[in-house]
Amino acid sequence: MPKILVTRRTFSEAVHALEKSGAEVVVWDGEDAPSHQDLITSIRDVDGLYAHITNQVTGEVMDGAPDLKVISEFGVGYDNIDVEAANERGIAVCNTPGILSESTADEAFALLASMARRTHDLPAMVKRGEWGDFDPLGLLASDIHHKTLGIIGMGSIGSEMAKRAAGFNMNVLYHNRNRRDQEFGATYVGSLEEILERSDFISLHNPLTPETKNLMSTEQFKLMKNSAILINTTRGPVVDQDALYEALVAGEIAGAALDVTVPEPIPADHPLLTLDNCLIMPHVASATHETRMKMAKMCVENVLAGINGDWPPYCVNQSDIAANARLKK
Ligand code: DGY
């Protein structure tokens, strides 16, 4: 009987669907995610891994599971999986693309709107009893309409962000490795420097790769307008957080809203949490009932195909494995 390890508690519908396939299903039921050592211990006789961002699925982990055929990530980003190592071992790696793009863009736009219209700091002021008399010059925010949004990374989430911005009459620029055919009313800007200089809001939607690590650091913050706001819903390491703190304190940029940080969870005594112009959310861009349920469904489809020796529908390394005809059966 094939065995599937689910590394975090999940929807009962997903667990039932896995069990219905006849597989033995083990769900990690700890309050916290399994440690790296827990993962290595639990994966030994597993055929399919239903993984989450909290698992570092390294070559060492894969070597501890000689029967492992498929790693099915619950999420679109899979930077926690060593795909090269999986290629070498003929293990399929899969994710949940597309399905969470709209929810993620919804959150990114909500963060943008919150920072612009100060819903991130003014409610706390009201609760402190500091709402004074009407003041034409007080509590001023920034418009959203007719401002310029710079989208870095115009994949499916970036495109959804562009659509939302168009509805708010924003001027939308995007920077991407390639110029896109469908631009959703957005204008391509070939240089990162230029888009940083021209934008009132910068929203990051590029994946984390060795090239995008610390993409936003001291030099980039200096290029941005002093009134600009940074939104990060991709991965924490894309932003150099020490440089961000310095830029926010020095007024190089006006604010930042982060759904993702380094590390996650961010420690309660982190300097960024002392700043009123920095809003931090606990990595929840895809966290709606509807979207998380759909992600679970895709994750189930991927893992079931993989344990049966078929190509999973959302396999990210099919061509690399196929080139060597090495898919593990
Ligand atoms: C994703 O889908 O990549 C989310 O950030 C959860 O990992």
Side-chain angles (χ1 to χ4, degrees):
M1 187 198 281
K3 184 168 172 182
I4 299 168
L5 174 65
V6 182
T7 64
R8 210 80 177 95
R9 60 188 175 201
T10 195
F11 297 95
S12 55
E13 289 87 340
V15 178
H16 290 152
L18 295 174
E19 285 171 343
K20 228 172 113 194
S21 75
E24 178 190 350
V25 182
V26 175
V27 181
W28 178 263
D29 61 0
E31 202 38 53
D32 299 325
S35 67
H36 196 58
Q37 192 48 50
D38 289 332
L39 183 61
I40 290 175
T41 309
S42 318
I43 203 172
R44 264 185 219 131
D45 48 355
V46 157
D47 298 79
L49 181 67
Y50 182 128
H52 299 83
I53 188 174
T54 34
N55 312 128
Q56 290 304 318
V57 191
T58 58
E60 183 198 5
V61 170
M62 297 173 205
D63 286 339
D67 297 331
L68 188 66
K69 300 171 188 63
V70 56
I71 302 164
S72 175
E73 175 80 11
F74 180 81
V76 66
Y78 50 90
D79 45 279
N80 56 314
I81 301 172
D82 185 339
V83 181
E84 279 296 312
N87 292 344
E88 285 161 16
R89 292 160 180 77
I91 298 171
V93 175
C94 335
N95 66 345
T96 62
I99 202 76
L100 48 77
S101 302
E102 290 183 85
S103 295
T104 303
D106 283 349
E107 200 226 24
F109 203 86
L111 293 177
L112 182 157
S114 186
M115 293 302 296
R117 298 309 311 260
R118 301 191 53 185
T119 60
H120 70 293
D121 68 335
L122 295 184
M125 186 210 75
V126 174
K127 281 192 180 168
R128 289 194 302 269
E130 293 170 9
W131 180 1
D133 286 340
F134 175 78
D135 175 2
L137 299 180
L139 309 181
L140 299 184
S142 157
D143 272 336
I144 298 172
H145 60 87
H146 300 109
K147 290 289 177 81
T148 298
L149 167 65
I151 295 176
I152 315 265
M154 194 64 152
S156 141
I157 300 172
S159 303
E160 289 297 335
M161 188 68 175
K163 286 191 212 166
R164 281 151 184 75
F168 274 73
N169 287 337
M170 295 186 85
N171 169 33
V172 186
L173 309 176
Y174 76 96
H175 174 71
N176 198 44
R177 268 172 312 178
N178 328 99
R179 202 183 184 119
R180 293 276 310 263
D181 288 341
Q182 277 183 305
E183 295 174 0
F184 304 103
T187 304
Y188 176 70
V189 176
S191 103
L192 178 63
E193 290 72 22
E194 185 184 338
I195 197 167
L196 294 175
E197 282 167 357
R198 288 175 60 188
S199 301
D200 299 299
F201 301 89
I202 287 287
S203 193
L204 304 174
H205 298 287
N206 51 319
L208 173 63
T209 64
E211 294 73 43
T212 63
K213 185 161 187 242
N214 288 338
L215 179 79
M216 297 298 295
S217 192
T218 307
E219 198 186 314
Q220 288 68 37
F221 294 130
K222 282 196 192 310
L223 290 172
M224 288 171 68
K225 297 182 186 179
N226 296 146
S227 55
I229 287 167
L230 174 75
I231 316 294
N232 186 13
T233 53
T234 176
R235 286 290 182 262
V238 175
V239 174
D240 174 347
Q241 280 177 191
D242 293 340
L244 175 63
Y245 177 80
E246 296 300 330
L248 289 170
V249 170
E252 298 281 2
I253 66 171
L258 314 175
D259 184 61
V260 285
T261 58
V262 185
E264 291 182 6
I266 194 165
D269 61 355
H270 194 284
L272 281 174
L273 292 173
T274 64
L275 302 179
D276 285 342
N277 57 349
C278 185
L279 168 60
I280 300 190
M281 291 285 279
H283 198 149
V284 286
S286 68
T288 65
H289 292 287
E290 301 85 348
T291 294
R292 285 279 168 91
M293 182 68 102
K294 288 178 197 155
M295 288 163 68
K297 193 164 175 282
M298 284 168 96
C299 216
V300 166
E301 285 173 34
N302 280 329
V303 82
L304 289 183
I307 62 170
N308 286 324
D310 298 327
W311 288 115
Y314 310 101
C315 183
V316 301
N317 61 346
Q318 181 164 347
S319 53
D320 293 318
I321 296 181
N324 297 314
R326 288 187 69 169
L327 182 65
K328 247 198 212 172
K329 299 262 180 187

